[in-house]
Amino acid sequence: MPGLLPRTLAAGPAAALTTTALTAALTAALTAGTVPFAAAPARASDAPVCVSARHPVLAKRLGRRIAAALAGRTGTESVAVYDRERGVRCGVLAGRRYDSASVVKTAILAALLREAAAAHRPLTAAEDALATKMITRSDNRAASALWRSVGPARLARFLRKAGMAHTALDPAGHWGLTQITAADQITLLRRLTEHNALLTDDARAYELGLMHRVIASQRWGATAGTPAGITWHVKNGWLPRHGKEWRVHSAGAFTGHGAHYLIAVLTQGAPTMAYGVETIERVARAVHGDLAPGTRAAIPGGLPDGVPETSDGSVPPGA
């Protein structure tokens, strides 16, 4: 996918375009397929954070709801949303990089599946067991084993082929410190949810199936407020650096009953893990409420009682 909106089009005190002109420019670029996400910070101006050539009223309303969800929150947040059926794209600082924490595990598995398909072979029993632990339980030993198996060179090649141009591997080799963006997370989710030449349909179904089997204690974030009847697929990450400054992330795909939309929310600077989860879920509920309104929420959200606020272990202590 092409790069994010140039900074000269990002609204702010020194913006070169008026809100009206920015809206027109975004809509025109969206129609032409040249802009994946609006990158304007929702709290910096009244510029739109969502655009759609076919559903401008819906996009405007959703943009307001996302901005309201982020209003007054501590830390930094990036949001990217894509609704394939309606052509709605939303972005708030969608090109900002964050330490990936465990969210990168979806890319590790996708790269493994790509390499296996290229070799015309299924996953081995050992690979299947490791992949299942890595995604459904966020097992770090499994992630490290598959990270070593794929190798940084092949993983970097996968990122290039996937169009994840703003994702960068950690030079020191810590997979949890891979630098990710919300926009690139949507790119990966699109590879997993749409027919494409990079990943086979069987590979996509396999990974999405694991993302739907995430254990209950890790089923928070983008899933919060998912209406009944919509199938969710999610992977989260939660990492405090140096004992503070939580990075809490969630990326999910939602399908069924005519719905096909993707949500990625990355946060940094939350005072606690629960605070970061709440920020993500405020955005998620806004998105679900507009893109898949339902009579009840299948997943209420929030950290389950008794879940400790400890690191996901994706980065060794002191790294």
Side-chain angles (χ1 to χ4, degrees):
M1 295 177 70
L4 290 168
L5 197 64
R7 293 299 298 179
T8 54
L9 290 183
L17 296 178
T18 65
T19 299
T20 300
L22 177 59
T23 303
L26 284 170
T27 303
L30 175 63
T31 303
T34 58
V35 175
F37 300 100
R43 289 167 292 176
S45 77
D46 59 353
V49 294
C50 297
V51 293
S52 172
R54 290 186 284 122
H55 296 276
V57 175
L58 170 63
K60 185 176 181 179
R61 182 175 67 243
L62 179 55
R64 287 197 302 264
R65 295 190 67 184
I66 291 174
L70 294 175
R73 303 302 288 173
T74 296
T76 303
E77 309 88 25
S78 292
V79 177
V81 176
Y82 173 68
D83 184 323
R84 187 182 73 178
E85 302 306 316
R86 301 174 182 86
V88 175
R89 303 169 190 253
C90 305
V92 179
L93 297 176
R96 188 188 190 281
R97 282 177 168 171
Y98 294 78
D99 299 329
S100 67
S102 287
V103 170
V104 74
K105 291 170 181 174
T106 53
I108 295 173
L109 177 54
L112 172 66
L113 292 168
R114 167 65 182 176
E115 292 300 320
H120 304 288
R121 67 170 181 85
L123 295 187
T124 66
E127 288 172 335
D128 174 50
L130 290 170
T132 300
K133 291 178 182 178
M134 178 177 70
I135 300 298
T136 65
R137 307 187 67 86
S138 205
D139 186 280
N140 293 317
R141 290 185 179 180
S144 294
L146 293 179
W147 170 270
R148 291 190 297 269
S149 176
V150 174
R154 288 190 292 182
L155 185 54
R157 181 170 64 236
F158 171 81
L159 295 174
R160 289 195 302 271
K161 289 181 177 295
M164 300 168 68
H166 301 281
T167 299
L169 304 180
D170 175 46
H174 300 302
W175 50 262
L177 293 181
T178 301
Q179 297 299 291
I180 63 171
T181 70
D184 275 2
Q185 286 301 296
I186 295 296
T187 298
L188 177 58
L189 289 172
R190 290 191 65 178
R191 293 292 189 181
L192 292 173
T193 57
E194 300 174 9
H195 180 77
N196 62 88
L198 186 66
L199 295 171
T200 67
D201 291 346
D202 286 344
R204 296 189 302 104
Y206 173 81
E207 181 155 357
L208 288 171
L210 294 183
M211 292 172 69
H212 185 63
R213 290 164 50 196
V214 167
I215 59 175
S217 61
Q218 298 176 17
R219 209 173 289 169
W220 45 263
T223 59
T226 304
I230 300 297
T231 302
W232 55 268
H233 315 82
V234 73
K235 186 68 193 81
N236 297 327
W238 55 103
L239 172 69
R241 294 300 308 279
H242 312 298
K244 57 181 181 179
E245 289 276 324
W246 278 88
R247 286 94 164 116
V248 186
H249 312 318
S250 186
F254 304 89
T255 59
H257 289 272
H260 183 125
Y261 59 94
L262 316 171
I263 304 171
V265 186
L266 313 180
T267 76
Q268 180 173 319
T272 65
M273 177 183 172
Y275 187 95
V277 170
E278 182 185 355
T279 298
I280 293 169
E281 294 188 342
R282 287 164 62 106
V283 175
R285 290 189 182 94
V287 175
H288 293 305
D290 267 356
L291 298 185
T295 56
R296 66 180 180 88
I299 300 178
L303 285 175
D305 292 340
V307 174
E309 290 211 0
T310 56
S311 170
D312 63 10
S314 56
V315 177

